[in-house]
Amino acid sequence: MNIHPTTAGMTLAGILFVLGLISMLIRRNMIFMLLSVEIMLNAAGLAFIVASSHWAQPDGQVMFMFILSMAAAEVSVGLALILQLYHQLKSLDSDEASRMKG
Amino acid sequence: MLFLIPALPFFSALVLILAGRSLNKAAVSVIACGSMGLAAAITLVLGLPFIQSGGHVIVQHLWTWMQAGSFSAGIDLRLDALSLAFVFVITFVGFLIHVYSTGYMAEDADYSRFFACMNLFVGAMLLLVLADNLLLLYFGWEGVGLCSYLLIGFWYKDPANGYAARKAFIVTRVGDTAMAIALFMLFQYTGTLQIQQILDQAPQLWAAGNSTIVLIAFLLLGGAVGKSAQLPLQTWLPDAMAGPTPVSALIHAATMVTAGVYLIARTHVLFELAPAAQTGVAVIGAVTLLLAGCSALVQTDIKRVLAYSTISQIGYMFLALGVGAWSAAIFHFVTHAFFKALLFMGAGAVIVAMHHEQDMFKMGGLRKQLPAVFWVFLIGSASLSAIPFITSGFYSKDQIVWLAWSSVHGHTFYWIAAITGAFLTAMYTFRMVFLTFYGSKVSHHTPHAPGNSMMVPLYILALCSTLAGFVELPHTMGHVTLFSDWLQHVLPAVQLQQESTALEWTSQLLAAGLTFLGIYIAWVWVIERPDGMLRFSQMPFMRWLRKLWFSGWAFDALYDEMLVHPFVRTARMNRRDMIDRIYTTLARIMEWGHNILARTQSGILRWYIMGVVLGAIVILSVLIWRVNV
Amino acid sequence: MGVLFYITAAIAVFSTAMVVTRLNIMHALLYLIVSLLSVAVIFYLYGAPYMASLEIIVYAGAIMVLIIFFVMMLNLGPESSRLEKQWLKPGMWAAPAVLCVVLLGELVYLIAQNHTPVTGIKEVPPKAVGRALFGPYILAVELSAMLLMAGIVGAYHLGRQQPKTLHRFLQSKPS
């Protein structure tokens, strides 16, 4: 079938993104949530690359580079935070961290 | 110079309010009495041209108070014969009462507050009588009401005094509201509140008997009735005796309660155009003087006797106004101010001498112990009872009694009421004198005589009570009409049905006779055969009558039942306020919504992400719709 | 394009689905690495070889390895997979799955809308990327360097283990 490559790439990015979203919604373990964020970031990066190829401009790839660096910084800080939470709550359950309720 | 007359008391009141606490008693006395004295002196100076001609008028426009569209009201003062009479009484008697108060209130801690309120009152009263427009008059009217409240409740630490003050204020408020409505109507029809302009326009606007002018006149009468403690708003004056005695002398005898008389006299043109209202004035006066006279007969507190007596005497003035005897009413006002102030101050001297005992039955035999007080009190009582020839009260009251019958608006009923009133007056007055000064000593206290600051004003007033009557002698005794001639330019002369010297003699003889009969009965009652009277008064009907009269014809109970209880009942029914519920319901709906929404804040991260997803779905749906449609 | 793309896409989707459904976190991480590798291939297919290599080196090689080491440090044990099984009940699945499928549908619908007719895939060489980075995007490069610095400092500070100091009254006496 003749699917335009951009459409195919975007659809793939969409599927990956939604998978990450589902994972985010159904997991209670904090590390899995972080993982889901990574999946979603990756999918967004894919979308950028596809767009870059669509317009034949390097801007999308530049965007992806920034996403990469941001993801790196975010993962390191996020893991440090998860470590602190683990020490505080003695569990990795995100539902335990619900003192802001009500 | 005219503006100084009200300005001086206002200024001294201001000084005393601001700095009174830090001044010593001598300074306060000087400031207070000095301003009064200066005002009295200026009155005399300004009054000199009036002696030649009663038609002299001084008008002073100070500044424009307010201007809105076609309505403009200024601070306009007007001194003519009528207001001069009032101003003279207010400043002169006021000055004497201030001097008296320096002695009476000498041991009171709130000395400066007392004089501040007194001066404020005098300023407001002067503004009332000097006002040339009704708005300024109303300002003075409200001012005296306020000061009356402040002074009745002067010893505020006792809640009963506060209650009496509130009662006075609220009852007179009813009258004030009627008067305000009258002012609104007057403005609506004449477009101005300047008194002279209204009086000039009134005969052109309304024919005699027109229902509008009758309504306006009745509303003005309502206001006058409130301030002057006539039927049906007379319940506040006996309770107002809770204030210090100088207050009772100044406010509730000589000046404030006569504001109603002034109002009616000032707007006499309106009343002449409304015969129904004028009849109302006369009827109210006649009935009130009888009611109050009966009530005064059975009182035990010396000040309450004098309070009911004041109500009764003002009834005489209203009666005179109602039958068209305008200058007679003013004449009686002047003499009444003298002897009533004298009587109140004398009673104050007695009360202070008896260490603040006010029950007459606990006094007795003070004639020997306080001779000076006895003599001035006797002079005042004689004037009140209208002892013939030698007292001023005789001339003024007898004139009213005669004119009640002989005026074109007069009626036999009025004359009978007036004569009976004279009888009752003599009886209760001398009952009071005999109970207080005669008989054997009842109390154990040794009374100490009051000092000069209290006695000298009493002497002066005693002199005035005796001499003031001679400016107006009736037809039968020389027909001196100095006073009414003097007032004629402002107030019209009374028209008589018939001029009959013989009938006038008869009336005067009857009045004099009833006066002496009253004194004699009082003597028998109190001195000669007190046990006989006691047995007589223990009869069941007499006991019931006595209770009725003691409570002032049960008006308090009536108003309680008619007005207070339904009000309290409705207030209780509305305890969970209906109007408030509208607003609280709104608040409660908000709270309910908040409680529901607060449950969405579970603190669980996944729920929040779910919210984000939902939002994204919604936005994309909108986009799809737009792309499609 | 053709077959290569579809095979790689299938691998990517499948491995991501496995990531979502695994109970053992190590397994999930390894599946995620596979997913990243396949996405890297797709990058290459779309004419971005430099980005493909970066994806492998940085994303799969550094970030995932970091997470793997972190999980190893936590030393969770078999307890965690039992807990995950307990948490991943069907009741949990249903609503989110439905919602996200709806979202996917909308996304796909919108993606398949209008396109300017561009045929084929144009390759964008790394040189162009480099020129863009050091040209108009130089400021963003500096900022992302600062971001990484902030990440380092933050991670160091937050990850520090503070020794718990008890008040001297609460300290147990050395026996």
Side-chain angles (χ1 to χ4, degrees):
Chain A
M1 36 185 173
N2 251 348
I3 307 176
H4 195 280
T6 311
T7 315
M10 285 299 199
T11 316
L12 176 62
I15 292 174
L16 287 178
F17 184 85
V18 166
L19 278 172
L21 197 57
I22 293 181
S23 160
M24 183 72 140
L25 287 170
I26 65 180
R27 291 288 194 171
R28 270 163 82 162
N29 194 329
M30 278 190 264
I31 304 181
F32 272 108
M33 285 178 143
L34 196 60
L35 239 49
S36 328
V37 174
E38 297 307 313
I39 302 174
M40 286 197 275
L41 280 171
N42 185 41
L46 175 60
F48 267 112
I49 301 289
V50 167
S52 163
S53 93
H54 177 80
W55 295 107
Q57 282 174 359
D59 298 67
Q61 299 192 16
V62 166
M63 272 301 134
F64 177 71
M65 171 155 290
F66 292 139
I67 289 179
L68 217 49
S69 62
M70 183 231 94
E74 172 230 335
V75 162
S76 33
V77 175
L79 283 176
L81 282 171
I82 291 178
L83 191 64
Q84 284 289 347
L85 268 175
Y86 181 59
H87 279 303
Q88 292 268 351
L89 302 169
K90 300 287 180 276
S91 115
L92 281 171
D93 187 357
S94 67
D95 285 357
E96 294 279 325
S98 63
R99 265 209 271 176
M100 290 288 278
K101 75 170 164 201
Chain B
M1 271 248 286
L2 182 57
F3 75 96
L4 281 177
I5 298 184
L8 281 169
F10 273 134
F11 179 67
S12 80
L14 185 68
V15 167
L16 287 174
I17 290 174
L18 292 176
R21 222 103 58 99
S22 43
L23 297 167
N24 65 341
K25 285 213 169 107
V28 170
S29 318
V30 165
I31 293 176
C33 301
S35 67
M36 288 303 299
L38 271 175
I42 296 177
T43 313
L44 285 175
V45 165
L46 284 176
L48 283 175
F50 281 82
I51 300 183
Q52 280 109 22
S53 150
H56 187 77
V57 169
I58 305 180
V59 178
Q60 191 170 23
H61 172 83
L62 288 177
W63 70 83
T64 308
W65 183 3
M66 59 176 89
Q67 187 148 17
S70 60
F71 173 66
S72 123
I75 310 289
D76 303 317
L77 302 177
R78 180 193 180 85
L79 188 66
D80 59 11
L82 175 61
S83 41
L84 180 64
F86 273 83
V87 168
F88 173 67
V89 166
I90 296 168
T91 51
F92 184 61
V93 176
F95 173 65
L96 290 174
I97 295 181
H98 274 70
V99 173
Y100 173 86
S101 317
T102 59
Y104 190 85
M105 303 291 288
E107 277 141 41
D108 200 297
D110 292 315
Y111 195 71
S112 62
R113 176 164 64 100
F114 179 78
F115 278 103
C117 294
M118 289 283 269
N119 275 348
L120 191 64
F121 166 79
V122 172
M125 188 74 203
L126 286 169
L127 211 57
L128 198 163
V129 298
L130 283 172
D132 197 19
N133 62 24
L134 285 172
L135 196 60
L136 194 60
L137 192 150
Y138 195 68
F139 178 82
W141 193 273
E142 295 295 316
V144 298
L146 166 73
C147 294
S148 167
Y149 166 79
L150 287 174
L151 283 165
I152 294 176
F154 182 71
W155 291 312
Y156 57 86
K157 299 214 171 85
D158 182 358
N161 296 340
Y163 179 74
R166 282 200 301 280
K167 182 174 173 184
F169 194 78
I170 292 175
V171 173
T172 50
R173 209 77 184 105
V174 175
D176 295 347
T177 315
M179 184 172 157
I181 297 177
L183 294 190
F184 297 152
M185 290 180 71
L186 276 173
F187 176 67
Q188 184 188 19
Y189 282 96
T190 61
T192 172
L193 282 179
Q194 296 290 106
I195 297 183
Q196 299 306 316
Q197 287 178 17
I198 292 179
L199 296 184
D200 289 331
Q201 284 182 23
Q204 288 139 21
L205 279 177
W206 298 292
N210 186 331
S211 52
T212 319
I213 190 67
V214 168
L215 181 62
I216 292 179
F218 264 112
L219 287 170
L220 283 172
L221 175 61
V225 153
K227 238 346 161 248
S228 299
Q230 299 294 292
L231 224 65
L233 296 175
Q234 88 282 14
T235 50
W236 64 272
L237 193 53
D239 288 330
M241 297 296 119
T245 312
V247 168
S248 310
L250 182 60
I251 300 186
H252 305 127
T255 41
M256 186 183 95
V257 290
T258 54
V261 176
Y262 172 76
L263 179 69
I264 297 181
R266 194 43 108 184
T267 55
H268 61 93
V269 173
L270 301 178
F271 280 89
E272 280 168 352
L273 286 173
Q278 204 171 6
T279 318
V281 174
V283 168
I284 286 178
V287 175
T288 309
L289 72 90
L290 285 175
L291 254 49
C294 296
S295 297
L297 216 42
V298 296
Q299 299 295 323
T300 54
D301 183 345
I302 190 172
K303 280 177 72 173
R304 278 183 97 100
V305 174
L306 291 172
Y308 279 111
S309 165
T310 308
I311 300 177
S312 180
Q313 295 303 306
I314 297 180
Y316 269 101
M317 295 181 218
F318 267 57
L319 178 59
L321 292 170
V323 297
W326 310 100
S327 48
I330 308 300
F331 184 41
H332 193 57
F333 152 71
V334 174
T335 56
H336 172 260
F338 290 141
F339 61 69
K340 199 39 80 62
L342 172 63
L343 281 171
F344 263 108
M345 296 207 287
V350 167
I351 290 170
V352 157
M354 300 293 288
H355 302 281
H356 292 280
E357 174 60 66
Q358 289 183 277
D359 188 343
M360 287 190 293
F361 286 95
K362 298 208 174 70
M363 306 176 193
L366 290 177
R367 191 166 41 120
K368 304 281 173 27
Q369 295 170 310
L370 301 171
V373 179
F374 167 65
W375 280 109
V376 292
F377 202 86
L378 189 61
I379 294 177
S381 310
S383 217
L384 175 56
S385 322
I387 304 276
F389 301 124
I390 50 172
T391 61
S392 59
F394 165 69
Y395 295 108
S396 58
K397 188 186 287 188
D398 257 31
Q399 196 178 33
I400 296 180
V401 168
W402 163 239
L403 289 172
W405 185 80
S406 66
S407 157
V408 286
H409 300 286
H411 198 277
T412 323
F413 164 67
Y414 297 146
W415 180 82
I416 293 179
I419 285 269
T420 321
F423 170 63
L424 288 172
T425 309
M427 198 152 58
Y428 69 67
T429 311
F430 276 88
R431 168 180 175 263
M432 174 175 64
V433 171
F434 295 145
L435 272 176
T436 314
F437 291 100
Y438 282 75
S440 49
K441 228 166 61 138
V442 177
S443 81
H444 307 288
H445 302 276
T446 357
H448 57 84
N452 264 345
S453 61
M454 285 170 67
M455 289 311 295
V456 169
L458 289 178
Y459 295 142
I460 298 179
L461 278 175
L463 204 63
C464 292
S465 301
T466 320
L467 297 177
F470 295 120
V471 294
E472 182 89 3
L473 298 176
H475 291 243
T476 50
M477 303 175 198
H479 198 75
V480 176
T481 51
L482 285 175
F483 196 76
S484 44
D485 283 341
W486 186 64
L487 272 180
Q488 190 149 14
H489 298 270
V490 183
L491 298 172
V494 61
Q495 296 159 310
L496 300 177
Q497 283 174 355
Q498 52 186 109
E499 277 252 6
S500 161
T501 340
L503 281 172
E504 197 172 340
W505 266 118
T506 328
S507 160
Q508 285 172 338
L509 278 172
L510 265 172
L514 280 173
T515 307
F516 286 117
L517 181 64
I519 298 176
Y520 176 68
I521 292 182
W523 174 266
V524 167
W525 188 357
V526 177
I527 308 292
E528 286 276 316
R529 271 196 280 244
D531 313 315
M533 275 318 273
L534 201 64
R535 255 181 289 131
F536 175 62
S537 64
Q538 293 293 28
M539 282 164 48
F541 172 69
M542 278 296 147
R543 274 232 296 273
W544 175 83
L545 197 63
R546 186 199 180 85
K547 231 171 54 146
L548 179 70
W549 286 355
F550 189 77
S551 66
W553 293 80
F555 266 92
D556 278 332
L558 176 68
Y559 288 149
D560 219 23
E561 204 46 55
M562 220 170 63
L563 299 171
V564 177
H565 284 177
F567 180 74
V568 172
R569 223 173 291 134
T570 350
R572 275 214 199 104
M573 283 196 314
N574 196 28
R575 209 180 309 167
R576 289 163 66 213
D577 193 5
M578 286 186 293
I579 311 273
D580 263 357
R581 280 226 230 143
I582 299 175
Y583 303 109
T584 54
T585 314
L586 195 64
R588 278 208 269 138
I589 290 176
M590 292 293 125
E591 235 182 292
W592 170 80
H594 158 77
N595 282 336
I596 289 184
L597 282 176
R599 278 188 231 146
T600 60
Q601 292 217 308
S602 57
I604 296 175
L605 190 60
R606 290 177 292 118
W607 284 103
Y608 298 165
I609 301 170
M610 181 83 85
V612 172
V613 168
L614 278 167
I617 293 179
V618 165
I619 292 177
L620 287 179
S621 321
V622 168
L623 265 177
I624 290 177
W625 253 344
R626 275 191 357 138
V627 167
N628 266 351
V629 173
Chain C
M1 245 263 308
V3 175
L4 203 52
F5 171 75
Y6 286 113
I7 296 174
T8 320
I11 296 175
V13 172
F14 176 70
S15 60
T16 313
M18 294 301 273
V19 172
V20 171
T21 57
R22 291 304 97 195
L23 301 172
N24 190 339
I25 190 159
M26 273 307 185
H27 298 177
L29 280 165
L30 293 171
Y31 271 112
L32 186 54
I33 291 181
V34 170
S35 164
L36 291 171
L37 289 174
S38 47
V39 166
V41 172
I42 294 177
F43 283 178
Y44 180 80
L45 286 173
Y46 269 88
Y50 179 49
M51 291 303 132
S53 48
L54 269 186
E55 168 101 350
I56 296 172
I57 296 171
V58 175
Y59 222 129
I63 297 179
M64 285 302 126
V65 171
L66 170 65
I67 300 182
I68 288 174
F69 278 142
F70 178 77
V71 170
M72 287 203 286
M73 183 182 81
L74 282 183
N75 210 3
L76 293 168
E79 272 293 306
S80 70
S81 42
R82 206 178 48 78
L83 218 51
E84 286 293 325
K85 189 164 166 75
Q86 194 188 359
W87 287 342
L88 265 184
K89 295 224 174 52
M92 296 276 281
W93 281 79
V98 163
L99 275 178
C100 294
V101 163
V102 167
L103 189 60
L104 179 64
E106 290 182 343
L107 266 174
V108 170
Y109 181 76
L110 282 171
I111 289 169
Q113 286 293 325
N114 44 0
H115 285 291
T116 58
V118 171
T119 52
I121 301 170
K122 302 261 176 55
E123 174 176 336
V124 183
K127 195 166 184 185
V129 177
R131 255 207 214 106
L133 271 178
F134 283 93
Y137 288 103
I138 184 71
L139 205 57
V141 171
E142 302 298 328
L143 281 175
S144 65
M146 274 203 263
L147 176 67
L148 285 168
M149 166 73 111
I152 292 175
V153 173
Y156 161 71
H157 178 77
L158 287 169
R160 227 161 29 136
Q161 301 270 11
Q162 313 265 11
K164 271 226 183 91
T165 50
L166 296 175
H167 194 268
R168 54 198 170 94
F169 289 158
L170 293 172
Q171 280 167 3
S172 52
K173 288 211 177 91
S175 54

